[in-house]
């Protein structure tokens, strides 16, 4: 929900303040560059902390990645966290490539502004940051393994809406079935009456 507030709030401010004007582009590029460097520096700092702690506690779980075949994974806490850091770094670099392409190819400013804010929010909420930087225990929502967050869950309601729709459809079908059966029975009864009249 916070991400949606940041996205729509930023888009509103960009239009209201006229930040899409080319004269602001150098300042926005600089802000984006500083944010990106800071994010990558923090990920390398987290990686160093994980390597120094080298938590060899055994970790066994079913792969929670959506679309996976629920394979059983056996590893350690340190290896798991290092793998998550690697994913975070790759995701950050991929985002940089996409944003740079959109900006220099099409002249878009909004992605630069959004990506100067959202990665900071996402990193703060990331379990790795919460555990290794803020010292929070790896319990409850921070318990490993971490399920990838669906960015559209707040809008779509996840699978719950689909399940509700499916349930509603099933109930409607069940409610219609007796009516269909009654109509069928009524039709058969009328046919029998007509046959009786003909025999007479």
């Amino acid at each position: 929900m916070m991400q949606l507030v940041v996205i729509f709030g930023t888009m509103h401010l960009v239009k209201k303040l006229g930040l899409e004007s080319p004269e602001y582009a150098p300042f926005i590029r600089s802000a984006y560059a500083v944010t990106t460097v800071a994010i990558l520096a923090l990920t390398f700092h987290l990686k160093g902390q994980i390597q120094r702690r080298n938590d060899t506690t055994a970790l066994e779980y079913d792969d929670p990645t959506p679309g996976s075949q629920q394979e059983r994974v056996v590893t350690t806490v340190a290896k798991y966290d290092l793998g998550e850091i690697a994913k975070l770094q790759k995701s950050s670099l991929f985002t940089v490539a996409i944003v740079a392409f959109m900006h220099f190819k099409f002249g878009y400013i909004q992605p630069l502004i959004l990506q100067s804010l959202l990665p900071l929010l996402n990193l703060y909420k990331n379990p790795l940051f919460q555990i290794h930087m803020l010292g929070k225990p790896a319990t409850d929502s921070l318990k490993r393994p971490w399920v990838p967050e669906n960015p559209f869950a707040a809008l779509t309601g996840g699978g719950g809406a689909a399940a509700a729709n499916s349930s509603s459809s099933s109930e409607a079908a069940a409610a219609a079935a007796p009516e269909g059966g009654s109509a069928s029975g009524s039709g058969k009864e009328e046919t029998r009456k007509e046959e009786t009249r003909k025999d007479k």
Side-chain angles (χ1 to χ4, degrees), residues 7-21:
I7 290 172
F8 291 114
T10 301
M11 291 173 64
H12 176 72
L13 286 176
V14 167
K15 293 180 179 179
K16 186 175 182 179
L17 301 177
L19 296 179
E20 291 180 318
S21 175

Side-chain angles (χ1 to χ4, degrees), residues 132-150:
H132 295 286
M133 293 294 290
L134 302 183
K136 293 185 178 182
T139 57
D140 299 328
S141 62
L142 298 180
K143 184 178 180 180
R144 301 172 181 86
W146 304 309
V147 179
E149 184 179 354
N150 177 13

Side-chain angles (χ1 to χ4, degrees), residues 8-178:
F8 291 114
T10 301
M11 291 173 64
H12 176 72
L13 286 176
V14 167
K15 293 180 179 179
K16 186 175 182 179
L17 301 177
L19 296 179
E20 291 180 318
S21 175
E23 62 184 288
Y24 294 110
F27 303 102
I28 295 172
R29 288 175 194 155
S30 299
Y32 176 65
V34 169
T35 299
T36 301
V37 171
I39 293 292
L40 291 174
L42 282 171
T43 61
F44 279 106
H45 177 69
L46 284 170
K47 182 177 181 179
Q49 283 193 325
I50 295 168
Q51 290 174 331
R52 284 192 294 273
R53 291 177 182 176
N54 193 27
D55 189 344
T56 57
T57 303
L59 183 63
E60 187 173 349
Y61 61 93
D62 291 326
D63 188 358
T65 305
S68 66
Q69 298 180 350
Q70 297 296 312
E71 297 180 355
R72 195 68 178 170
V73 179
V74 180
T75 185
T76 64
V77 168
K79 289 181 179 179
Y80 178 82
D81 287 3
L82 288 173
E84 292 299 305
I85 278 288
K87 291 179 184 178
L88 181 59
Q89 291 175 332
K90 289 179 181 178
S91 175
S92 298
L93 293 174
F94 179 76
T95 301
V96 169
I98 295 296
V99 171
F101 175 79
M102 293 176 66
H103 175 64
F104 290 107
K105 181 69 175 180
F106 303 107
Y108 293 152
I109 296 293
Q110 284 190 0
L112 288 178
I113 299 175
L114 286 174
Q115 291 303 317
S116 297
L117 302 173
L118 286 177
L120 294 173
L121 175 63
N122 292 336
L123 182 63
Y124 176 78
K125 293 169 59 180
N126 192 290
L128 291 166
F129 187 88
Q130 295 283 316
I131 294 171
H132 295 286
M133 293 294 290
L134 302 183
K136 293 185 178 182
T139 57
D140 299 328
S141 62
L142 298 180
K143 184 178 180 180
R144 301 172 181 86
W146 304 309
V147 179
E149 184 179 354
N150 177 13
F152 301 106
L155 292 175
T156 62
N165 290 337
S166 176
S167 177
S168 299
S169 300
S170 299
E171 291 175 1

